[in-house]
Amino acid sequence: KRKQIILVRHAKAVELIDFHGLDFHRPLTEKGEFSAKIIADILSDLSEAEIILASPSLRTKKTAQIIADQFPKVQKIEYIDNLYN
């Protein structure tokens, strides 16, 4: 069985100029959460992910969790500091 790597950018986050905090802590917008669910649903039809590697930033963690929820075989989400920025 061939392995696949799928690269996904985090969903739409609150703009930095509209957020009063560190970039690392910017959350997803409602639209971002909605679109992440759509992408997760599409990806789940194309692949059988077993692991997700993600940045530890808030917006990326939320996107990764939304995607993982659509993949029953995902055993873990691994957060890697070097993936931020």
Side-chain angles (χ1 to χ4, degrees):
K1 184 175 175 180
R2 286 187 331 158
K3 302 254 183 202
Q4 281 184 308
I5 295 176
I6 299 172
L7 300 176
V8 178
R9 187 172 190 270
H10 64 77
K12 178 73 175 159
V14 172
E15 294 293 334
L16 189 55
I17 61 171
D18 298 326
F19 184 68
H20 303 290
L22 298 174
D23 175 66
F24 189 84
H25 299 292
R26 285 190 301 135
L28 295 180
T29 62
E30 285 184 32
K31 182 178 179 180
E33 288 193 34
F34 179 77
S35 64
K37 290 175 185 173
I38 292 171
I39 293 300
D41 191 45
I42 292 168
L43 289 175
S44 69
D45 288 341
L46 302 174
S47 178
E48 293 183 3
E50 296 174 6
I51 187 170
I52 294 176
L53 306 176
S55 156
S57 72
L58 181 62
R59 61 191 175 274
T60 307
K61 280 183 169 181
K62 182 65 176 177
T63 302
Q65 188 58 60
I66 290 169
I67 292 171
D69 289 345
Q70 292 297 317
F71 287 86
K73 291 186 178 183
V74 168
Q75 297 170 7
K76 70 176 181 171
I77 300 173
E78 185 174 331
Y79 298 105
I80 300 171
D81 290 340
N82 288 339
L83 291 179
Y84 176 70
N85 279 337

